[in-house]
Amino acid sequence: MRSEAPALMPIFRSQHQAALLAWLLLHPEHEYTLTELAKRLEVPLTTLQREAQRLVVAGLLQDRTLGRARLLRANLNNRAAAPLTQLLEVTFGPETVIGEEFDLANAEQVLIYGSWAERYHGTPGPPPNDVDVLVVGSLDRADVYDAADRAQARLGMQVNPVIRTPEQWANDADSLVVQIKATPTVDVTPAREAMS
């Protein structure tokens, strides 16, 4: 499956390569199987294998075999790791950072919308200067704005949160809800552990 250069940062070979690098460099303390990464990044396994092999040969990723599984992780000993991580954090980082910082109790859905989401989905245009975030749930405004401040400090770019109740999100009478539903979004809702 051919992937074009990403509109967020067209210096990368493909959207798949950028997503793989971003996920691993922004989670350097973890290692993942190729299957886990393919599922998480929604990339065909064979495509991900090729991209991973290129990045291992380049020394940006490390791999090891455990049984039949191939595990990947960021190679932080590579001289390019730190500056590349910074670059990925300001371009592809919002997907990770917003998901982590907006992991709030009662947040039923967290979406990035606006220019960042459009570039992420390949819509050409100038680099985004901010990140627009919709949080759906019955939340304390102060918690949402604190999350935005933390994300903004990590990303080095403005984070603009908007809160809607589940009822407002379901109702198309709100013009902002209609606009968000009609444009590209990136769902960064934190995965909740199943309650037993």
Side-chain angles (χ1 to χ4, degrees):
M1 177 179 179
R2 178 87 171 115
S3 173
E4 300 297 319
L8 277 172
M9 184 56 61
I11 64 169
F12 292 105
R13 182 182 179 286
S14 69
Q15 177 78 21
H16 301 318
Q17 180 195 60
L20 176 61
L21 275 171
W23 187 262
L24 291 174
L25 284 170
L26 297 177
H27 297 95
E29 67 283 358
H30 299 291
E31 58 183 3
Y32 300 90
T33 68
L34 281 169
T35 304
E36 287 174 316
L37 290 165
K39 184 176 180 182
R40 177 180 299 279
L41 302 174
E42 299 178 353
V43 175
L45 184 57
T46 55
T47 301
L48 193 71
Q49 288 169 327
R50 284 191 303 272
E51 292 295 353
Q53 186 58 35
R54 286 183 183 102
L55 295 169
V56 167
V57 169
L60 293 169
L61 300 181
Q62 296 174 321
D63 67 342
R64 70 182 181 99
T65 304
L66 182 62
R68 293 178 49 182
R70 181 178 181 198
L71 298 167
L72 292 173
R73 72 177 317 133
N75 180 6
L76 299 182
N77 294 322
N78 186 303
R79 291 179 359 160
L84 185 56
T85 300
Q86 287 181 313
L87 177 64
L88 288 163
E89 192 163 65
V90 298
T91 54
F92 290 86
E95 181 177 19
T96 300
V97 172
I98 298 298
E100 291 172 355
E101 297 299 346
F102 283 83
D103 187 3
L104 305 170
N106 300 324
E108 294 179 20
Q109 192 167 19
V110 180
L111 298 174
I112 299 175
Y113 67 97
S115 61
W116 190 90
E118 289 173 0
R119 296 306 160 273
Y120 183 87
H121 284 289
T123 304
N129 294 319
D130 61 0
V131 181
D132 299 310
V133 180
L134 169 74
V135 184
V136 178
S138 301
L139 298 121
D140 182 328
R141 291 183 93 66
D143 291 340
V144 172
Y145 285 99
D146 286 347
D149 289 344
R150 290 190 306 270
Q152 186 168 306
R154 287 177 65 187
L155 294 169
M157 63 193 318
Q158 176 119 13
V159 175
N160 308 308
V162 171
I163 305 167
R164 291 295 185 267
T165 65
E167 296 76 26
Q168 290 171 317
W169 180 242
N171 183 348
D172 288 342
D174 182 326
S175 62
L176 181 60
V177 167
V178 171
Q179 176 188 345
I180 292 171
K181 287 181 178 180
T183 59
T185 61
V186 178
D187 191 335
V188 295
T189 307
R192 302 284 183 216
E193 295 296 322
M195 297 179 72
S196 45

